[in-house]
Amino acid sequence: MMEQVVITFLCMAILLYFLLGGADFGAGIIELFTSTKNRSKTRKTMYQAIGPVWEANHMWLIIAIVILFVGFPHIYTTMSVYLHIPLAIMLIGIIARGTAFVFRHYDAVKDDMQWFYNRIFRYSSFITALFLGIIAGSLISGHIDTQANDFYTAYISGWLNWFSVAVGLFTVALCGFLAAIYLIGETKEAHDKRRFIKKAELMNIAAVVFGAMVFIAAQRDKIPLIDWVFKSNVGLSAIVLASLSLVLLWYLLLKGKTKILRILAGFQVTMILLAISYAHFPNFIRLKSGDAISLLETVGPEKTIYSLGLALLLGSVLILPFLGYLFYKFQKREE
Amino acid sequence: MDDFIAARSQMALSLGFHIIFSCIGMVMPFFMAVSHYKWLKTNDEVYKNLTKAWSKGVAIFFATGAVSGTMLSFELGLLWPKFMDHAGPIFGMPFSLEGTAFFIEAIALGFFLYGWNKLNKWFHWFTGMVVGVSGLASGILVVAANAWMNSPAGFDFVNGQYLNIDPIQAMFNKAWFSQALHMCLAAFTATGFAVAGVHALMILRDRNKEFHLKAFKIAAIFACIGALLQPLSGDISAKDVAKRQPAKLAAMEALYKTEKPAPLLIGGIVNEKDKTVKGAIEIPGALSFLAHGDFKAEVKGLDQIPENEHPPVAITHYAFQIMVGIGTLLLLVSLIYFFTLFKKNPLTEKRWLLKLFVGAIPLGYIALEAGWVVTEVGRQPWIIYGIMRTKDAVTPMPGIAYSFYIFSAIYVSLSIIVTFLLYRQIKMVPVLYNKPETK
Ligand code: HDD
Ligand code: HEM
Ligand code: HEM
């Protein structure tokens, strides 16, 4: 019973990190692809939009990691050993973008240093999202080889392969898309809105292209992605719903309804994640040997899971109302 | 560089870096709450400006603390996977509660930093307090996890298996209280002296005296109370260590031979090869008293501990000397400060006292880092005391040395930037806060 609670929280935390943290990375990615002339405006909109909540957005990653190392230590350590390099790169990205974001705002003197912070923020946003995707892709790619005895097979080829990199790029596009949609609702001027809509279009196209690449790479690497998505009812319905919501999203966008968009965009990304992961759930890591490490089989001792579940339930009772109020308070601000 | 040494160095560096920011995150909200409270009560604009100025500094530190903490929660696995494989489910309880505490802290910080003029003023004040209380709670929890490594509990270790795991018992292990108490006091002492010292420097330079004087008084009172209690709590810690980790105590005091009664050594040069200490001042019987509360008690020396379980003696001993030395100094400064509070003439005229505080800026943090070196290096060669050796826990991945170099470079650059930002923040105080805000 508690096992299910803990697994639900884990999935929730991962999902929310993709959505909220993803939108956050996306903001940096969009800035990267914004012409110099509009950058400072983009930056300002973005700061107002995510400033109050960015710290909370990133807590989901920590929650997910803590659940993993307390409840599913074997999964945590397998990832840590065989995906050491991409994890380390992602961490460097997280450190760089988190500090650059705050420094550029709180530097008491606004001078050339801003140029430096901005650079770091943009590039590290891109890198973090890319490697987050690469890590996610590697977990299901089946390239991780726990029996390897040379450096390359053990620590490189597990994540440096076509499929993982394609998933990484796809993630970058999704993050950019989420952020663009989110920012459309944050601007008031028609001119700015148009700019973000353009960005959303661009990111949407990129997502489709990279999404196709993911399938091609899966085919090439013999990953049964097509089976997962199209041969299971859940996978198929999720993909259909994702496509429908995309159509609806563009329709509403043309109609100028901007606030509901973000819910649709979030829904769409959720469906994509569901489609990809449902078929092999609860397997968390697929290995080269053909085996898989499953959440259910590696779950920690009973008492641990029990108290972890209790801590999570207690935590959410304390946190969720507070968090909801935070989002609400700073949503209302401009209206 | 050897991979094992590199992994240990990287861990030490990351923790040593994180602890500075987390202490500031734990303590500054309380300073701000006091100043904020005074503003709400007296309507004195200076207090409002002070709260705002501090909160800007805290935002910088908080972000750095958060990213370095995120780094740590991955690093435990990246560097010590075999440790986490077993320890995760046992000592994870405080971490999962800590997650909750961090979350509340992050949310409350969002409210606090962005809530000026937007929230009810007392609710706004309250969110600031929540930041402080949850920060303190997370500090206590994470130290309880570390205490478990010093004093494993909550499981049975049978034939290399970890059975009958009970995470609650693991959290409330024998060391958690003494360590958490000492750590919290240390956070107040170290941050208090650093903040008070910076403002004292500004008073000496005749900048915005009113502003800095108010700041100084708030920080100094916290610092001095902390410094008064620190030796008492340190004594509890020492007695505790004597009971549960005799090897660590022996290393702290460089006590190579079991003695009864045992003298306390002050200073001295340790020679690890010959197992001797040269040039130390000996206070007869004092160590017996410190460790067991009895001037005649026997204190176990390193000769009673198998050689392959000796911690590095010199480092532990020097670090302990540094901590206690600084602790004594800060105690004196506090006593002087409290004494002068009863004198009539204003603080600004006692330039020597302000200079004393300026001198103390780095001391608390040096003691804090030294104290952690005592605890962590003194536990070696164990990662889980008596159960698992550090070298058996390290990641099999080669090339950790490169990772160590890269992360060192990152931490060094971050430290430089944060210092630079803080310098600018302080330099801008006259410009930003000289006239009362019109808003
Ligand atoms: C401002 C910082 C500071 C100051 C002034 C002191 N300490 Fe300390 N000490 C720490 C900061 C610290 C620390 C960094 O916070 C440690 C590391 C682990 C812990 O629990 O606290 C610590 C650990 C620590 C330990 C080891 C605890 C363990 O391994 O479980 C002992 C025995 C003492 N201290 C004793 C003292 C004594 C007798 C002091 C007398 C003045 C003293 N400390 C001052
Ligand atoms: C923030 C304050 C802390 C500091 C400054 C600190 C310092 C250090 C140092 C110097 C080492 C290296 C010891 C050596 O290899 O000789 C170390 C190791 C380690 N520490 Fe701490 N530590 C702190 C708190 C913690 C906490 C709270 C935990 C975990 C709950 C922890 C877990 C570890 C681990 C896993 C190692 C590596 C294994 C080992 O060397 O025993 N530390 N730390
Ligand atoms: C004695 C050692 C430690 C103390 C006292 C401590 C305390 C704190 C505090 C008060 C914060 C809040 C952030 C801030 O105010 O700057 C923080 C942040 C954090 N710490 Fe530590 N910590 C310690 C060691 C560790 C270790 C060993 C880990 C990981 C295993 C860790 C993980 C984290 C994480 C993930 C955050 C970020 C949370 C956020 O975003 O607010 N800490 N720490």
Side-chain angles (χ1 to χ4, degrees), chain B residues 49 208 428-436:
Chain B
N49 290 338
N208 291 63
M428 292 301 280
V429 164
V431 184
L432 294 173
Y433 303 110
N434 237 354
K435 335 182 240 328

Side-chain angles (χ1 to χ4, degrees), chain A residues 94-149:
Chain A
I94 289 179
I95 294 179
R97 72 182 299 285
T99 45
F101 181 78
V102 172
F103 292 172
R104 76 176 181 186
H105 184 72
Y106 281 102
D107 195 339
V109 187
K110 306 276 185 250
D111 59 5
D112 292 348
M113 283 299 283
Q114 292 287 330
W115 180 89
F116 172 71
Y117 304 138
N118 290 336
R119 281 291 145 106
I120 301 237
F121 179 70
R122 280 178 226 143
Y123 289 111
S124 53
S125 293
F126 180 83
I127 292 196
T128 313
L130 178 67
F131 276 84
L132 188 69
I134 288 183
I135 291 162
S138 310
L139 291 176
I140 57 169
S141 74
H143 279 79
I144 294 177
D145 186 352
T146 51
Q147 273 128 34
N149 39 26

Side-chain angles (χ1 to χ4, degrees), chain B residues 19 143 146 150 175 178-187 189-190 227 230-241 244-245 248-249 252 290 320 323-328 330-331 363-376:
Chain B
I19 190 78
V143 171
N146 176 267
N150 284 324
S178 61
Q179 273 197 242
L181 176 68
H182 199 58
M183 176 70 222
C184 290
L185 288 173
T189 312
Q230 197 71 355
L232 300 177
S233 135
D235 183 51
I236 299 176
S237 288
K239 293 198 164 50
D240 210 40
V241 171
R244 61 183 159 74
Q245 284 174 301
K248 186 191 278 182
L249 188 84
M252 273 154 53
L290 209 70
F320 187 63
M323 170 174 63
V324 176
I326 292 178
T328 316
L330 295 182
L331 175 69
L363 291 186
Y365 278 103
I366 296 175
L368 189 101
E369 300 279 2
W372 276 103
V373 169
V374 173
T375 304
E376 303 285 288

Side-chain angles (χ1 to χ4, degrees), chain B residues 299-333:
Chain B
V299 180
K300 229 191 209 182
L302 286 164
D303 52 354
Q304 293 206 6
I305 289 152
E307 187 108 17
N308 68 355
E309 291 176 17
H310 284 195
V313 177
I315 298 182
T316 317
H317 178 66
Y318 297 141
F320 187 63
Q321 301 290 311
I322 292 172
M323 170 174 63
V324 176
I326 292 178
T328 316
L329 257 172
L330 295 182
L331 175 69
L332 287 176
V333 175

Side-chain angles (χ1 to χ4, degrees), chain B residues 173-362:
Chain B
N173 57 72
K174 287 206 186 83
W176 87 272
F177 179 75
S178 61
Q179 273 197 242
L181 176 68
H182 199 58
M183 176 70 222
C184 290
L185 288 173
F188 277 98
T189 312
T191 313
F193 273 105
V195 173
V198 169
H199 291 288
L201 186 66
M202 292 297 132
I203 299 172
L204 287 173
R205 293 205 179 146
D206 247 350
R207 303 255 171 82
N208 291 63
K209 265 196 189 161
E210 202 193 347
F211 179 93
H212 290 298
L213 196 64
K214 290 195 152 80
F216 174 84
K217 281 187 178 157
I218 294 174
I221 198 81
F222 277 103
C224 292
I225 294 176
L228 279 184
L229 299 176
Q230 197 71 355
L232 300 177
S233 135
D235 183 51
I236 299 176
S237 288
K239 293 198 164 50
D240 210 40
V241 171
K243 245 186 285 160
R244 61 183 159 74
Q245 284 174 301
K248 186 191 278 182
L249 188 84
M252 273 154 53
E253 278 303 325
L255 187 70
Y256 280 107
K257 279 198 265 354
T258 304
E259 287 189 57
K260 183 185 170 179
L264 185 71
L265 301 189
I266 295 179
I269 313 253
V270 180
N271 186 331
E272 289 195 358
K273 277 216 192 73
D274 309 347
K275 301 190 171 18
T276 53
V277 185
K278 279 208 195 74
I281 305 167
E282 288 192 23
I283 308 175
L287 181 59
S288 298
F289 181 74
L290 209 70
H292 300 292
D294 169 4
F295 281 101
K296 300 214 177 65
E298 179 182 281
V299 180
K300 229 191 209 182
L302 286 164
D303 52 354
Q304 293 206 6
I305 289 152
E307 187 108 17
N308 68 355
E309 291 176 17
H310 284 195
V313 177
I315 298 182
T316 317
H317 178 66
Y318 297 141
F320 187 63
Q321 301 290 311
I322 292 172
M323 170 174 63
V324 176
I326 292 178
T328 316
L329 257 172
L330 295 182
L331 175 69
L332 287 176
V333 175
S334 314
L335 290 174
I336 294 172
Y337 181 70
F338 281 124
F339 185 68
T340 56
L341 280 184
F342 295 104
K343 292 281 178 74
K344 279 269 153 46
N345 56 336
L347 209 61
T348 38
E349 274 159 35
K350 285 180 280 226
R351 297 183 72 85
W352 59 273
L353 183 67
L354 293 171
K355 281 184 187 150
L356 216 55
F357 272 90
V358 174
I361 291 177

Side-chain angles (χ1 to χ4, degrees), chain B residues 8 12 15 19 80 142 146 149 372 376 379-380 383 390:
Chain B
R8 285 168 59 179
L15 284 157
I19 190 78
W80 315 103
V142 80
N146 176 267
M149 293 162 60
W372 276 103
E376 303 285 288
R379 185 184 60 239
Q380 304 303 320
I383 189 165
T390 312

